[in-house]
Amino acid sequence: MYSMMTVMQLKDELRKPKASVVGKKACLIERLEAYDRNANFGVDDDKEDETYTAPAAEHYRDINASSCLPQLTKQHIPAFVERFQAQMKAGKCTSRDFY
């Protein structure tokens, strides 16, 4: 379909989704076909806006250049994993608690 179009027509099609119009004809065609495969043309107006609800501010700690953080060593990692696995076995937490 796109191979019959001129370079200018291809670029016009690429401008619709605000895609790059740089490249040879083969690259432009490949880019348009990729957009077609990924359904990147147009905007789905029926789709509701997805919202993100951030956790409350008290769950965050302010860390900046002047913050003093504890040093993390190779010994800390196995200790954390062991503690995590013990809590998992005891049913006190799930892997979701750490993500």
Side-chain angles (χ1 to χ4, degrees), residues 1 3 6 8 22 30 33 48 52 62 70 78 95 97-98:
M1 166 175 138
S3 61
T6 66
M8 289 305 295
V22 178
E30 184 178 326
E33 289 172 346
E48 292 182 26
Y52 172 74
D62 185 30
S95 60
D97 295 331
F98 291 90

Side-chain angles (χ1 to χ4, degrees), residues 39-55:
N40 287 331
F41 280 100
V43 176
D44 187 7
D45 293 331
D46 296 335
K47 188 176 180 182
E48 292 182 26
D49 289 338
E50 294 180 18
T51 58
Y52 172 74
T53 306

Side-chain angles (χ1 to χ4, degrees), residues 6-86:
T6 66
V7 171
M8 289 305 295
Q9 290 171 325
L10 294 170
K11 288 183 178 185
D12 287 340
E13 285 295 313
L14 284 165
R15 284 186 185 101
K16 290 177 184 176
K18 297 183 178 146
S20 173
V21 294
V22 178
K24 296 185 178 198
K25 184 175 181 176
C27 292
L28 301 177
I29 292 171
E30 184 178 326
R31 196 170 300 130
L32 281 165
E33 289 172 346
Y35 270 87
D36 285 345
R37 282 192 303 275
N38 295 318
N40 287 331
F41 280 100
V43 176
D44 187 7
D45 293 331
D46 296 335
K47 188 176 180 182
E48 292 182 26
D49 289 338
E50 294 180 18
T51 58
Y52 172 74
T53 306
E58 61 264 12
H59 294 289
Y60 292 98
R61 187 172 136 203
D62 185 30
I63 298 175
N64 53 43
S66 63
S67 298
C68 181
L69 298 175
Q71 184 177 3
L72 182 64
T73 65
K74 289 182 180 180
Q75 290 77 27
H76 288 95
I77 297 170
F80 170 79
V81 171
E82 288 173 14
R83 197 167 55 244
F84 170 72
Q85 289 174 339

